[in-house]
Amino acid sequence: TAITLPIGKLEWGHTYYAYVRSVCSDTLQSPWSGSTAFTLPVPAAVALPYKETFDDYGSGTGVMAAGWEKANPASTNPYVSSTKYEGKAGLYLYKTKTGVTTPLYAPVVDINDLSKLLITFYGKASSKASSTVPDSLYIGVGHEPSVDDQITWLDTISIPTTSWNLYRVLLSNWKPSMGNRVVFYNDYVG
C-alpha cells in the first residue's frame, strides 16, 4: 500500500536527500534504502498583477506562502495566520519579546522597474498600538533572503489602529542596485 507523507519547512533552491524503509512492526523493519536526491526548484517570477490571499497554505507558526521567504529560515515568524481581512488566512508579521525580527521577502515579480510597482494591502495594528505609538511596517528591497542582505527601506507605513485599513505603497525611489526583491518588516513587540 502506498503511503504519502507531507514534508514541511523545505527551502527553495536547496537539495535534500530522502531515505525510506518499511516498518511492519517494532521488530520487523527493512534496511534503509539508498538516498534519493531532489532539489526544490526556485519559483519563476510571478506575473503582474499578482495577488496573494494566503488562503492555500494552512496557518500557524512556521507556515509560509509559496515563493515568500524569511531572511532567517529558522525563525518561526513571520507566518501565515488565521487572522485575516478576508478569506481564510493572512500574513502575521511581528517582533518577538526578545526583539528578534525577521524580514520577509515577497516572491520575485516579473517587472524590470520596481519603481513602477504599486503594492496594495490591508493591515491592522497590534493591540498595543495607538495613534501616538503606532505599529510601523517597513517596505524595502533587497537581493536574496539572508540575515546578511543589505536591505534598502523605501517606505514606512504607520498603522495606528486595530481596524483593517487599505494601504498603498509605490516604490518610486527604487534603483536597480538596491535589489529586485520586495521586503517587509514590522516593528512591534508581539
Side-chain angles (χ1 to χ4, degrees):
T1 303
I3 298 175
T4 302
L5 297 173
I7 301 174
K9 299 187 180 183
L10 300 180
E11 299 295 326
W12 305 108
H14 291 238
T15 299
Y16 296 92
Y17 300 89
Y19 301 82
V20 295
R21 71 175 175 174
S22 295
V23 178
C24 296
S25 70
D26 288 344
T27 58
L28 183 57
Q29 302 170 356
S30 72
W32 286 103
S33 70
S35 67
T36 298
F38 66 95
T39 301
L40 192 60
V42 176
V46 294
L48 296 175
Y50 168 71
K51 179 180 180 179
E52 179 58 74
T53 62
F54 301 100
D55 284 347
D56 298 326
Y57 311 100
S59 63
T61 305
V63 176
M64 188 47 60
W68 291 73
E69 299 176 86
K70 303 173 197 177
N72 177 2
S75 176
T76 58
N77 69 60
Y79 62 90
V80 176
S81 168
S82 58
T83 301
K84 76 277 185 197
Y85 172 72
E86 63 183 8
K88 298 182 221 170
L91 189 60
Y92 187 52
L93 297 157
Y94 70 99
K95 184 192 309 186
T96 65
K97 290 178 172 55
T98 59
V100 175
T101 247
T102 298
L104 182 64
Y105 290 69
V108 174
V109 292
D110 190 12
I111 186 171
N112 291 328
D113 185 355
L114 287 180
S115 69
K116 297 177 182 173
L117 184 65
L118 177 64
I119 300 168
T120 305
F121 61 94
Y122 285 89
K124 71 175 191 165
S126 68
S127 60
K128 298 175 181 139
S130 68
S131 58
T132 55
V133 184
D135 285 349
S136 296
L137 177 66
Y138 298 90
I139 300 174
V141 291
H143 297 275
E144 287 301 321
S146 162
V147 292
D148 298 323
D149 190 16
Q150 297 298 315
I151 298 168
T152 302
W153 300 110
L154 298 174
D155 207 341
T156 304
I157 306 297
S158 290
I159 303 178
T161 72
T162 57
S163 300
W164 290 100
N165 289 291
L166 177 65
Y167 296 92
R168 291 184 172 94
V169 176
L170 183 63
L171 302 178
S172 56
N173 294 326
W174 175 82
K175 305 280 185 266
S177 62
M178 296 175 182
N180 66 347
R181 297 287 301 268
V182 176
V183 184
F184 298 90
Y185 170 90
N186 189 331
D187 191 16
Y188 95 92
V189 176

